[in-house]
Amino acid sequence: MIATDQHSDMLPLREAAALLGVHPTTLRRWEVQGRLGAQHLGPRGERFYTRQDVLRLAQARTERVRESQRAVVEVARAIGGSLDLHAVAQTVVEEAVRVVGSNRCAIYLLNAERTMFEPLAGIDVNDPESAEQLFYPTPLPIDAMPLLRYALDHPEPIVIEDAETHPLSNPELLRYFKTRTVINVGLRRPDGLVFALMPFVWTGEPHPVRDDDIFFAQSLARLAEVALSNALLFTRHEQERTRATIINDVVSDVNSGCNLNDTLTRAVSSLVQQLHADEGCIWLVDSEVQCMIGAAEAQTHAASCIGATLSIAASPNITRVIAEQRPVLVSRAEALGDEQVWLTLFDIQAALYVPLLTQGCLVGMAFVNYVELPAPLHADDLHFAGLLAAQCALAIERAQLLEAERARAAELEAVFEAMTDSVIISDLSGRARSYNGASMRGIGAEDLRDLAGRIKALNMRHPDGQPLELADAPTARALRGEVVTNMELLCDAPDARTQAMLCSSAPIWDASGQMIAVVTVSRNITDVLAERRARLALAESYRQTAAELEAVISQMGEGVIVVDRSGLIQLCNQYAAQLHGGANLEGTCYGQGQDYQMYLSESSASEAHALPFGRAMDGEIVTNAEWSVCRADGSLVILHGSASPIVGADGERLGAVVVLRDVTARRQLEDEKDQFLSIVSHELKTPLTTIKGLSELARRRLSRGASTDDVLHNLRTVARQVKRMEHLVGDLLDSQRLKTGVLPLSLAPIDFRAVVREARERACALTDQHTIELVQQAVEPLPISADMGRIEQVLDNMLSNAIKYSPQGSAIVIELSREANAAVLRVRDHGIGIPIEGRERLFERFYRGANVVGNKYSGLGIGLALSRELAQRHDGTLVLEATSPAGSTFKLVLPLVL
Ligand code: ADP
């Protein structure tokens, strides 16, 4: 038993622990650590501690607690006013080693990917100088240390007294922390998640960790937690604010149309600064040549890229970034082709490629360069880079648009100035607002101030000279909403000459349909009008010439046909049309008309190319050609003429022209002449042959002493033949006389009956085969005034024809009668008759019926022509009254003299 007084200075374990405010086991640990000695006094050997020891310990503890609390308060005060993350962290760790008594203390921040704890601040009391570089300079990979993984989920302090034995320890921990003893406290965000670690480290031998150590470590950690959370929030907020400001600045640069280079340079230096890079540059895409051109750079430390080119196709990573449309960090080792050249030139280890995109379209690329290979970039940074890049892209696009707009405006301005037409834009009050040089020159004004006065002085008037009312002026009309086009006006030019103007004016409307101005365009057309007048005069003279030519051609005594290259008739004068049957041939294909057919010879229709115009179409000049046209009515025209190709100035063949003339009559005449000559020679040769033969016979008979009768017979026959020749020659002479009008008649009153009777007797003497009957109905005399010989000639001709053309021998009837005041004589025969064709030509000179020509019927074809002429000279008529294959009747009518 221990006496109370004896024991009054001794305190049992529980009491001592209660007095010290710790757990009994803590006392046991302190005992082990040698901080407190124990006595085993109780019957069961319970532990007692001297009151003095306990009180001393309690006092020391209180002292330390008080001191530590003071330190903690000081720390809190020191960091309370600061929001600088690093400053706060540094203060905390420096105070922490003092309060907790560890050799080292540090704060690590968890990275965004939650893969690393990155050093923020640290202190080593043994070597305070190293605080600047941190004693753990490298980030702590979470996967490498179980302690870190565990700490992420357990923010309460983890005490590792001996790293060699602790289950959460591993060689990596020893390697990184170079210690056996660590108190690690997790720092939590308000939502409870660990965002940082604060390890307290005792270097060297294992350190016995006291509850106070843990308590203060935890206190400081909580302090750091709050301060760092605030500072972090502030830093993030600050960063966001700064970045927002940066983006805002670029946006306002873009909106204010700031110089593109300045904007890009500012943007790239912000990128460099915010992404903790060393330098940066922006390249613009040249879409035409598929390359990028250096445009802006910041903090360049090696080569400059301004103006340099970089092939997109030769830079695989650029191509990749364009395809992925997001920023990508490319290390020098990954760079290929052109980009590798540039990374080497820039002397950098990595670059963040940031595509500058507008609506998915690449306009350039920003490169954020790192001299040393950086840690992977935060998502926030990449997001910021993307946002800034988008604004840069907008700036580029806007600058390009502005540039294009400026170029267009300059172009328009140049066009406006270069225009030779006067252009004046007036406001709604009619005052000129802008104008081009031509307008000033045109109206002789120096500037806008005297424009209105000059316009008045122009003395504008209508083309007919009537003055132009102000309200009718084009600008005034346009101000009323009208569109005036090509209004011709006259005015006094600055040089006082009359000038013709062509004016147009129109209102200009804005997008909302409001009239905002009026544009008036005027052109000096004085020269144009003069030219036009000259042209019209020329055209008129051409027209007249053409009309004259057409008149000449149409009335020409020769036919003219002009054919174009396709064979279509373009011109056919009246004469030519008549020759082809009178149809309108223009527009038809020559040679292929339905109304006519063309022949080279009379036998068959000819191919176009063989005819003169066809040959001319082939380029030949054809002269003195003859061809014929058979018209629709069956009549045949013989044409004579020439055809030539029409060749244009450039040698091109344009068609052909045919000039033709009707030679049918001439040809007929020639035929008739030939026929006549052959007939006459035949008719004269026959009696001559007879005369020659009979004369020879008579001579021979006479020389042989033949009888006179025989010779006389021969001579009579000769005399008959001579008479016949006389007749022939007489008829020919008469015919000639008739034609020349020198056939005198010696008229005398005679009785036609007697003349007819005598004629019958003469006719009877001519033939043995025919009976010639005179049927005389009139008994009273038929007095006529006539040239006896000529009337006998007519009657003889009628009767001799009746005999000649009745070769079989038949009755011939002469009917004599009086009809009214005329003596009518009909000679009816029963001969060969007269064919229908040629009947109308019966009384033409030298015409002979088709049924007699070439037969045994002799004759010259003069008798009927001569007879009709003689009848007409006696105021009478001679006609063919009837004819058929059974005979003909000719009727002679002569006026009676009463
Ligand atoms: P010619 O008898 O010498 O031939 P004409 O002038 O007397 O000349 O007659 C012209 C033509 O008229 C004749 O060639 C003949 O064809 C025709 N002709 C005249 N009289 C008769 C007739 N009586 N019968 C048949 N044909 C006739």
Side-chain angles (χ1 to χ4, degrees), residues 679 683 728 731 797-806 827-835 841-853 857-867 880 883-884 887-890:
I679 291 169
E683 289 300 311
L728 278 174
D731 280 355
N797 184 256
M798 287 169 78
L799 288 168
S800 66
N801 277 355
I803 294 164
K804 187 161 60 177
Y805 299 119
S806 313
V827 176
R828 180 174 300 126
D829 63 51
H830 297 87
I832 58 174
I834 299 161
R841 299 186 56 201
L842 213 55
F843 293 92
E844 285 177 20
R845 280 206 309 167
F846 307 119
Y847 180 79
R848 305 201 71 218
N851 58 343
V852 306
V853 175
Y857 308 104
S858 63
L860 292 176
I862 295 172
L864 281 182
L866 198 60
S867 300
L880 170 68
T883 184
S884 73
S888 315
T889 303
F890 286 86

Side-chain angles (χ1 to χ4, degrees), residues 270-330:
S270 299
L271 260 181
V272 168
Q273 196 191 353
Q274 290 293 315
L275 270 54
H276 310 294
D278 300 295
E279 59 171 55
C281 48
I282 290 180
W283 298 62
L284 300 185
V285 168
D286 184 333
S287 52
E288 274 174 31
V289 285
Q290 279 298 302
C291 74
M292 296 206 292
I293 299 168
E297 56 195 6
Q299 285 109 43
T300 321
H301 83 289
S304 167
C305 71
I306 304 292
T309 55
L310 175 59
S311 159
I312 294 177
S315 311
N317 284 301
I318 291 179
T319 315
R320 178 160 69 96
V321 170
I322 293 170
E324 292 182 12
Q325 303 216 331
R326 63 177 181 86
V328 174
L329 186 70
V330 177

Side-chain angles (χ1 to χ4, degrees), residues 19-140:
L19 195 69
L20 283 166
V22 296
H23 194 269
T25 54
T26 307
L27 276 190
R28 294 275 295 152
R29 199 167 65 243
W30 287 355
E31 208 185 312
V32 173
Q33 290 169 354
R35 292 170 64 186
L36 194 62
Q39 290 182 26
H40 301 276
L41 298 174
R44 290 183 298 279
E46 296 96 333
R47 281 182 145 73
F48 282 85
Y49 303 92
T50 63
R51 182 180 293 273
Q52 201 180 346
D53 278 356
V54 171
L55 285 177
R56 184 179 44 80
L57 206 60
Q59 195 177 349
R61 189 170 150 70
T62 309
E63 244 344 272
R64 187 171 171 227
V65 165
R66 215 174 273 145
E67 193 185 313
S68 298
Q69 278 172 342
R70 253 197 323 274
V72 169
V73 170
E74 265 170 41
V75 172
R77 196 179 296 133
I79 62 177
S82 174
L83 285 168
D84 181 332
L85 188 62
H86 283 94
V88 167
Q90 199 58 42
T91 308
V92 168
V93 292
E94 280 170 12
E95 291 303 323
V97 285
R98 208 159 56 78
V99 173
V100 177
S102 64
N103 303 121
R104 291 172 175 177
C105 182
I107 295 176
Y108 292 88
L109 286 178
L110 180 64
N111 73 355
E113 294 77 28
R114 299 175 68 82
T115 53
M116 295 273 190
F117 279 104
E118 291 170 350
L120 177 65
I123 182 124
D124 185 340
V125 288
N126 301 326
D127 182 10
E129 297 304 309
S130 71
E132 282 296 302
Q133 306 136 17
L134 292 185
F135 47 90
Y136 306 122
T138 47
L140 308 176

